[in-house]
Amino acid sequence: MDNETAETKKRKHASEEDWKRIRSFWEARQGTFKGLSEQFGIPEKSIRNRSSRENWQQGRLLPAVEKKIEEDTVTLLAGMGMSKKKFLKMVMDRATKTEFMRNVK
């Protein structure tokens, strides 16, 4: 079966739930456009077009997940009596010291 025939046999539309799953797989680097096309039966070009239109970025979480992580982090830090700013400074100081120690050896 040639590519054109295979492409025409794929679904033309996906549910919004499918699109959310496709995007999450792509952004979590758990699939290529071609692999996701085969997995979900949607033309690769459709996935590429949608990813471009919606500005998908690999390595990023869905905005709702990012927001939830941010809220939970702030709540946790507040429970520890620490501000987000103080926590980030502590992390950066520790990272800087660790990097420095790696370079000293």
Side-chain angles (χ1 to χ4, degrees), residues 61 64-91:
L61 299 172
V65 174
E66 288 178 337
K67 183 178 178 184
K68 179 67 174 148
I69 290 170
E70 173 76 15
E71 290 169 354
D72 289 352
T73 301
V74 169
T75 301
L76 177 65
L77 292 173
M80 295 168 51
M82 186 181 297
S83 70
K84 182 179 171 185
K85 184 177 178 180
K86 182 177 178 182
F87 174 75
L88 291 175
K89 182 180 181 328
M90 180 186 74
V91 169

